[in-house]
Amino acid sequence: MTEDAKPARLLAGELWWKAGIVYQVYPRSFQDTNGDGVGDLKGVTARLDYLAWLGVDAVWLSPVYRSPMADYGYDVSDYCDIDPLFGTLADFDALVAEAHRRRLRVIMDFVPNHTSQDHPWFREARASRDNPKRDWYIWRDPGPDGGPPNNWISNFGGPAWTLDPATGQYYYHAFLREQPDLNWRNPQVRTAMMDVLRFWLDRGVDGFRVDVIWHLMKDEGLRDNPVNPDYVAGEPEINSLVQLHSADQPEVMQVIAEMRAVLEEYDARVLIGEIYLPLERLVAYYGVDLSGAHLPFNFQLIQTPWHAPALARLIEEYEAALPEGGWPNWVLGNHDQPRIAARVGDAQARVAAVLLLTLRGTPTLYYGDEIGLGRVPIPPERVRDPWEHNEPGRGRDPERTPMQWQPGPQAGFSTVEPWLPLDPQAQTCNVEVLRDEPGSILTLHRRLIALRREHAALSVGDYRPVSVDGDVLVYERRHADETIRVALNFGHGDCKVDADIAVAQPEGAREGWEVLLSSAGGRRGERPLDGHFALAGDEALVLIRRAAAAQG
Ligand code: GLC
Ligand code: CA
């Protein structure tokens, strides 16, 4: 890569993933270019100008590897090839080159916990008990009653073990039976998978998001998981057991350190880990002396009730739990979770955008959230996600529907009926319509992103809580002599932010505050009136302290 072609939108080194914004693309649903109703790599490349316009720094692609698509690409049958549905390796190389030309980084999804049952490794492994690849997966004799070797449950419901009748043993799968778990205790598996990382790093990818990283190591003795006394009927079946032995084992840190060491062979690549664990366990994934994931994905905003006090507590606890030097990150949604607008409503989705893009730490933005996509209804005959078939109501199709680009047929996503339905509001909820509306949620995202880029206080500044009063949360971001305050109204009622509280400075300082952005649009440059800023229901304000500014 020439010096020029190097993505350097931000500062050098690791600062790109600290100060930058990650945008998740679910490639099946971004842009179809060959009229089969499924998004593809050429489609992502065709939309890079949009991402550059939006102002994000990196694109994380959900899996595009060769796959029979039992779990839509999270069942990989060849880690070093692109599925023909998405294109070719040449298309991938073109995407990376075009992204880098626009100073956008590319983050690959890496799926090391399990392969597809069609992966040649698993085909060999299941061929016979003494096949050299047998131990690359997790095989056990049946339990005493002939049933599964232990009580572990699949994340998609049902037993986590499937009997292979030909060889008389069960294999373990934390997800679908089509997704056998690799045995990460086997050194050959480790070597093979580290080579996969190098394969993509050599092609120029800027990092990885590692799928279910906390699952990689299981208890060596495969002990039964304890029953969860707090289980409430109706929750996913996996929650009926405490995942004490099936995941989050101490040995996983060594594996992650090995992955990290591979990335360190290259310059400034990022390692992101998918981890659904309580805070105190989550932060362990930064690793001893930060030898683990750069960014253990923080999903707490997805799991915390949408109220000012709960969110204030969360931010405080997360900030306090971070290890020295550990860089925070925040996520509002992804391809596995109901969309933010579906969870909190359209009005609060705007407040959420301000929160995501003004907190301290790398934000990851899920495609479509910037146009306010909500929960798209999926008629029964259009269901695709296997989880929905196993456990109705759990399906993830509603958050995986096509991106909406313009009014007209298929919202510009495809020329044919897409693999999942479009939002019924696609004629108005699309990029072309919203990009020109000053008050749209898309405009809000673009402004916030620009603001974050413009103000070091927002991208790399310190965080300090200021107040939580009723529905209103106020915090401060500060860098050098720049001070920014964010006031978010998580309620629907109008109120006032006391500019004295908002200032919390000795006498006379209040006139220093000025509105940089309102989630409702407009108001830029506004000063407090009678010592207050009006804050409407569902509104968030970003204020800056203008040291030199005096007010009459
Ligand atoms: C992760 C992915 C999810 C997938 C699962 C199994 O949670 O995000 O989509 O189904 O892993 O790979
Ligand atoms: Ca296609």
Side-chain angles (χ1 to χ4, degrees):
M1 206 183 339
T2 66
E3 201 44 44
D4 255 26
K6 264 199 182 155
R9 178 190 281 270
L10 288 156
L11 299 159
E14 61 181 21
L15 225 77
W16 76 261
W17 56 261
K18 288 189 167 174
I21 297 166
V22 178
Y23 183 98
Q24 180 187 358
V25 164
Y26 193 68
R28 291 186 77 89
S29 293
F30 207 55
Q31 177 68 61
D32 176 24
T33 58
N34 63 345
D36 62 0
V38 176
D40 40 56
L41 289 178
K42 284 197 168 121
V44 179
T45 306
R47 294 299 185 180
L48 289 173
D49 283 337
Y50 165 73
L51 297 180
W53 170 84
L54 186 61
V56 298
D57 299 275
V59 189
W60 150 33
L61 296 177
S62 279
V64 289
Y65 307 99
R66 204 174 265 274
S67 163
M69 305 285 165
D71 190 20
Y72 294 102
Y74 284 96
D75 49 322
V76 178
S77 56
D78 185 346
Y79 288 102
C80 297
D81 203 1
I82 299 293
D83 196 274
L85 190 63
F86 295 122
T88 62
L89 275 171
D91 294 337
F92 182 82
D93 291 342
L95 191 167
V96 172
E98 287 301 312
H100 286 176
R101 227 162 55 76
R102 291 166 179 79
R103 308 199 184 292
L104 288 161
R105 314 266 176 158
V106 178
I107 298 171
M108 252 330 223
D109 215 304
F110 181 49
V111 191
N113 180 67
H114 41 264
T115 69
S116 160
Q117 63 177 0
D118 291 350
H119 197 292
W121 298 341
F122 189 69
R123 291 184 178 213
E124 281 188 51
R126 84 187 315 175
S128 73
R129 286 199 188 203
D130 54 11
N131 186 282
K133 292 260 171 11
R134 184 73 168 181
D135 183 55
W136 282 40
Y137 294 84
I138 300 171
W139 296 93
R140 286 295 181 280
D141 290 334
D145 58 351
N150 71 16
N151 73 347
W152 295 0
I153 291 171
S154 155
N155 282 268
F156 293 142
W161 294 91
T162 291
L163 182 67
D164 176 52
T167 57
Q169 284 190 313
Y170 282 86
Y171 65 88
Y172 174 66
H173 50 89
F175 294 88
L176 299 175
R177 67 175 65 213
E178 292 89 346
Q179 294 167 294
D181 277 44
L182 282 164
N183 175 18
W184 275 83
R185 292 182 189 273
N186 182 318
Q188 292 175 343
V189 168
R190 293 198 191 195
T191 307
M193 293 301 272
M194 297 305 157
D195 285 346
V196 171
L197 291 178
R198 290 191 188 91
F199 176 87
W200 294 103
L201 290 164
D202 289 340
R203 293 196 105 85
V205 309
D206 299 288
F208 298 93
R209 170 270 189 189
V210 185
D211 192 58
V212 295
I213 202 168
W214 85 109
H215 269 269
L216 294 182
M217 281 294 198
K218 313 30 162 139
D219 174 49
E220 191 146 32
L222 301 176
R223 282 171 285 176
D224 275 358
N225 276 327
V227 166
N228 175 8
D230 302 325
Y231 179 66
V232 182
E235 283 181 53
E237 190 188 353
I238 181 87
N239 295 355
S240 63
L241 301 177
V242 179
Q243 306 299 305
L244 183 67
H245 300 304
S246 48
D248 192 28
Q249 301 301 296
E251 301 96 310
V252 76
M253 296 317 304
Q254 182 52 39
V255 174
I256 299 173
E258 279 173 35
M259 290 180 185
R260 177 67 187 274
V262 172
L263 268 72
E264 298 296 333
E265 295 165 14
Y266 300 77
D267 66 334
R269 313 294 164 106
V270 71
L271 189 67
I272 305 175
E274 185 203 19
I275 300 155
Y276 285 94
L277 287 174
L279 263 188
E280 65 279 9
R281 288 301 310 147
L282 172 65
V283 294
Y285 283 76
Y286 284 97
V288 177
D289 298 328
L290 304 183
S291 60
H294 292 113
L295 301 174
F297 255 152
N298 166 15
F299 298 127
Q300 304 290 321
L301 286 178
I302 300 174
Q303 295 161 331
T304 304
W306 202 251
H307 303 304
L311 292 165
R313 201 171 323 118
L314 156 66
I315 300 164
E316 194 176 321
E317 285 172 5
Y318 179 61
E319 282 279 347
L322 289 169
E324 176 89 40
W327 185 252
N329 76 92
W330 297 94
V331 179
L332 281 177
N334 59 41
H335 63 294
D336 296 325
Q337 302 292 339
R339 283 188 180 273
I340 181 68
R343 298 202 310 273
V344 303
D346 291 342
Q348 279 293 314
R350 305 172 75 99
V351 177
V354 177
L355 183 68
L356 176 72
L357 293 163
T358 60
L359 280 171
R360 188 175 83 97
T362 309
T364 300
L365 184 60
Y366 185 47
Y367 88 95
D369 282 355
E370 78 275 27
I371 57 169
L373 266 180
R375 184 179 196 285
V376 178
I378 311 289
E381 71 281 4
R382 300 287 304 263
V383 167
R384 293 289 175 273
D385 185 9
W387 196 359
E388 181 69 18
H389 294 300
N390 290 357
E391 296 191 286
R394 296 289 155 199
R396 299 163 293 178
D397 296 325
E399 59 263 21
R400 296 177 175 181
T401 63
M403 182 63 178
Q404 297 167 177
W405 297 103
Q406 63 200 49
Q410 321 308 343
F413 166 73
S414 178
T415 51
V416 301
E417 180 66 30
W419 75 291
L420 281 176
L422 293 159
D423 187 326
Q425 286 154 45
Q427 293 310 307
T428 48
C429 174
N430 62 63
V431 170
E432 197 180 291
V433 165
L434 299 179
R435 66 189 291 165
D436 297 326
E437 278 178 19
S440 77
I441 189 163
L442 178 57
T443 303
L444 172 63
H445 276 90
R446 187 157 178 261
R447 289 214 177 117
L448 281 165
I449 291 168
L451 213 58
R452 197 176 167 97
R453 188 178 303 291
E454 219 171 286
H455 297 279
L458 288 176
S459 56
V460 296
D462 298 337
Y463 168 88
R464 196 171 71 81
V466 173
S467 64
V468 47
D469 181 11
D471 289 327
V472 179
L473 171 67
V474 182
Y475 52 79
E476 188 169 283
R477 303 292 315 281
R478 193 192 289 236
H479 181 76
D481 49 15
E482 182 177 71
T483 306
I484 286 181
R485 283 211 175 169
V486 184
L488 307 112
N489 189 349
F490 293 98
H492 306 306
D494 295 354
C495 58
K496 284 178 175 173
V497 180
D498 188 330
D500 287 327
I501 294 177
V503 172
Q505 291 287 330
E507 62 298 339
R510 82 166 62 138
E511 62 271 19
W513 293 104
E514 182 182 309
V515 174
L516 267 182
L517 173 144
S518 158
S519 63
R523 298 190 66 176
R524 196 184 168 99
E526 191 183 308
R527 299 287 178 86
L529 196 63
D530 299 332
H532 292 99
F533 285 105
L535 189 62
D538 305 306
E539 186 182 22
L541 285 179
V542 182
L543 309 169
I544 190 163
R545 186 166 179 188
R546 300 274 189 213
Q551 191 179 271

